[in-house]
Amino acid sequence: MSGGSQLLTIDQLAQVSGMTVRTLRSHASRGLLPPPIIKGRVGFYGAAHLARLGFIREMQAAGFSLSSIERILAGVPDDAGEAMLRVIRGLLAPWRAEPVAVYDPEELLAMFGGAAAPEQLEALADLVGAEVNPEGQVVVSAPGLLAAGVEGVAAGLPLEGVTRAGKLVVESAREVAEGFVELFRDSVWQQFVDAGMPEGEWDRIVGVHSRLQPLAVQAFLSAFQRAMSQQVSEALGHELGAGAQEVLDRLLRAGPGDRSA
């Protein structure tokens, strides 16, 4: 993407950025794109606008929804250039979400066999971060959650229950993420800020930050596996009494595709 310090009309900005005018107007209405520079009665766009559009494109490609990008950019100055946005990208890199998936509305409905009620699909859409883009397609920011929901319904679980369980997973994951981010912010980052953010310390800070996600995932997964095993054991013990251990052993021996007795 090029454009230098040249001022561009919205049509020229669309051509240089590779986005449609409709998409640019949509970004502007959400506050993602700063207001244009007004000269006479014409709005012009410059290097900061191009840098902002490049950031939005890269964050979308990395799996961030427009709502997430909107929150990220809320505290960024309108005239932020490529250098500042590059720093933000670097700090966000270890926390990139899975790539977004784009569906036609009919395709999304067909995934559930047409058996789901509109209100159930709406609740699921909120859970998986579904948004409608300017072209009328559905952009899902958490396709892994969507795939899990489809698989759960295909296995015979009710969609309402699958959505309710998904919300619990999302809420728990958010609490874990908040805990690790708070730990980083209140210790390593605060010490870095108090020291005047020395240039020579950036590599260490980024290195510590990049290790947070795998540490959080490892801790969360280990705790979840242990809790799941305990809950299954307790539930079977309550329902089956003395025969619970045999049933549990058979469940644990069977793989995902194993239906043998």
Side-chain angles (χ1 to χ4, degrees):
M1 183 185 301
S2 61
S5 58
Q6 177 185 1
L7 292 179
L8 308 168
T9 64
I10 192 167
D11 290 321
Q12 293 170 329
L13 181 66
Q15 184 177 6
V16 172
S17 67
M19 297 182 181
T20 65
V21 171
R22 183 179 181 181
T23 297
L24 293 178
R25 294 192 190 282
S26 175
H27 286 347
S29 69
R30 300 185 65 136
L32 290 167
L33 191 64
I37 303 163
I38 303 298
K39 290 193 173 185
R41 302 179 65 180
V42 180
F44 291 92
Y45 301 83
H49 295 95
L50 281 169
R52 183 74 65 108
L53 291 174
F55 179 88
I56 293 169
R57 187 192 298 277
E58 289 184 19
M59 291 297 97
Q60 282 187 290
F64 288 88
S65 67
L66 286 177
S67 296
S68 298
I69 298 170
E70 187 177 347
R71 289 192 293 271
I72 293 168
L73 290 174
V76 177
D78 286 350
D79 60 352
E82 178 60 33
M84 178 179 290
L85 294 174
R86 190 183 305 119
V87 171
I88 297 173
R89 280 196 297 268
L91 290 174
L92 291 172
W95 303 95
R96 287 179 178 174
E98 57 187 324
V100 299
V102 181
Y103 304 94
D104 290 326
E106 298 77 12
E107 180 184 5
L108 201 57
L109 289 172
M111 294 171 70
F112 293 94
E119 59 271 16
Q120 292 177 321
L121 289 174
E122 184 176 347
L124 181 66
D126 290 339
L127 178 65
V128 302
E131 299 178 340
V132 179
N133 65 17
E135 286 71 40
Q137 298 170 305
V138 181
V139 181
V140 176
S141 61
L145 277 175
L146 176 63
V150 171
E151 181 67 21
V153 171
L157 299 174
L159 179 57
E160 184 176 357
V162 168
T163 302
R164 188 165 56 249
K167 287 181 179 179
L168 288 175
V169 172
V170 170
E171 290 168 3
S172 298
R174 183 178 293 113
E175 288 185 11
V176 171
E178 288 175 353
F180 275 86
V181 170
E182 183 178 347
L183 174 62
F184 171 79
R185 183 192 63 208
D186 293 346
S187 57
V188 177
W189 181 257
Q190 188 59 53
Q191 293 167 9
F192 177 60
V193 172
D194 290 344
M197 303 177 70
E199 187 64 30
E201 283 287 287
W202 268 108
D203 286 344
R204 182 181 72 85
I205 297 300
V206 172
V208 174
H209 180 266
S210 67
R211 295 175 66 183
L212 284 181
Q213 186 174 20
L215 285 172
V217 170
Q218 180 181 357
F220 184 79
L221 182 59
S222 176
F224 179 78
Q225 289 174 326
R226 184 168 183 268
M228 193 69 170
S229 177
Q230 290 175 336
Q231 289 297 315
V232 170
S233 298
E234 291 176 8
L236 288 175
H238 177 74
E239 294 292 331
L240 302 177
Q245 188 60 50
E246 180 183 353
V247 174
L248 179 60
D249 289 341
R250 293 180 66 178
L251 287 173
L252 294 177
R253 282 199 305 269
D258 187 357
R259 299 292 183 270
S260 61

